[in-house]
Amino acid sequence: AQRVTQPEKLLSVFKGAPVELKCNYSYSGSPELFWYVQYSRQRLQLLLRHISRESIKGFTADLNKGETSFHLKKPFAQEEDSAMYYCALRWSFQKLVFGTGTRLLVSP
Amino acid sequence: NAGVTQTPKFRVLKTGQSMTLLCAQDMNHEYMYWYRQDPGMGLRLIHYSVGEGTTAKGEVPDGYNVSRLKKQNFLLGLESAAPSQTSVYFCASSSETSGSSYEQYFGPGTRLTVT
């Protein structure tokens, strides 16, 4: 069955430090993966998708099929990056399965 | 263009009461979804709809019913609320066209407490 694992509930870093939010998936088909972000008091929104290989707000994520991972990275964290981050896998039509989320806290 | 809206924002119910959550979208999206968000469990799909008049079960459908009588609206009903249904409920919508890259657009959420 399809599954997304985010092993860290909380990741706390200082401003300017590198960030890596881990995401591993389990899926027998061809995976399509996404990162969604939820800032405080805001709705969940798409951050980036692996298929477009883009960089949004300095974040990048590379799909590694060998390791079944889609880790989210940013070289220099900013305080405004503090938020809840969800990794998601698209399967069957347009259904998504989400990981349990990682709260990123960036301290000054 | 309001995107996805949800009514109400907050609600407190007593065990056994019923209620309906309303989701509306103005993007002409074909697909709509209801999720619940619980601490440590992420978002879980309750029900979804691929078009007007059609609905299907998601991962955690028990205790909920849905209806999609109009393309822009997706209703989530709780017939007899239980404390286990205390959660934050999110509605989302997406377009069927592949050019949209299947992005789901979310509403602001409804915080429901069942006592």
Side-chain angles (χ1 to χ4, degrees):
Chain A
Q2 56 285 342
R3 184 182 180 94
V4 175
T5 302
Q6 293 181 251
E8 304 138 328
K9 287 186 179 178
L10 172 67
L11 184 62
S12 186
V13 301
F14 288 105
K15 177 182 173 181
V19 169
E20 182 178 52
L21 286 76
K22 291 184 167 50
C23 171
N24 288 91
Y25 66 91
S26 173
Y27 183 51
S28 57
S30 183
E32 289 187 42
L33 286 142
F34 305 82
W35 277 99
Y36 280 79
V37 60
Q38 187 176 27
Y39 300 102
S40 179
R41 298 189 181 87
Q42 294 188 28
R43 63 186 70 194
L44 205 67
Q45 57 187 286
L46 179 67
L47 179 63
L48 55 80
R49 65 204 87 181
H50 93 269
I51 198 168
S52 55
R53 300 184 64 82
E54 56 202 344
S55 173
I56 303 293
K57 299 184 178 182
F59 284 99
T60 59
D62 290 320
L63 178 61
N64 186 324
K65 292 186 179 180
E67 296 183 357
T68 59
S69 68
F70 188 55
H71 303 327
L72 183 67
K73 300 177 183 179
K74 185 169 183 177
F76 307 103
Q78 302 298 314
E79 289 180 67
E80 55 265 31
D81 296 329
S82 295
M84 193 75 177
Y85 291 81
Y86 290 98
C87 183
L89 168 72
R90 174 182 169 267
W91 68 283
S92 180
F93 277 119
Q94 296 194 21
K95 288 190 286 188
L96 293 175
V97 59
F98 286 84
T100 51
T102 298
R103 182 168 298 282
L104 175 63
L105 181 61
V106 183
S107 303
Chain B
N1 192 339
V4 180
T5 58
Q6 291 182 233
T7 309
K9 289 187 171 61
F10 305 94
R11 186 72 185 268
V12 178
L13 287 180
K14 293 185 178 179
T15 298
Q17 287 185 319
S18 64
M19 78 163 294
T20 300
L21 283 68
L22 171 64
C23 176
Q25 53 94 5
D26 60 4
M27 297 174 283
N28 201 35
H29 284 170
E30 295 78 12
Y31 296 100
M32 297 187 75
Y33 316 82
W34 276 107
Y35 294 91
R36 59 178 290 173
Q37 182 186 45
D38 301 293
M41 304 195 75
L43 280 80
R44 293 179 293 168
L45 183 65
I46 305 171
H47 285 280
Y48 65 100
S49 169
V50 301
E52 183 179 319
T54 68
T55 63
K57 294 180 180 180
E59 183 185 352
V60 288
D62 293 342
Y64 305 95
N65 56 74
V66 288
S67 64
R68 183 115 180 254
L69 300 179
K70 294 182 179 180
K71 187 177 183 179
Q72 64 267 33
N73 295 337
F74 195 29
L75 279 64
L76 177 71
L78 286 74
E79 289 189 351
S80 179
S84 60
Q85 294 177 304
T86 293
S87 186
V88 180
Y89 291 86
F90 286 98
C91 177
S93 70
S94 66
S95 172
E96 68 175 350
T97 57
S98 60
S100 70
S101 297
Y102 309 111
E103 177 178 355
Q104 290 190 12
Y105 294 82
F106 283 81
T110 295
R111 187 174 296 274
L112 175 66
T113 302
V114 183
T115 60

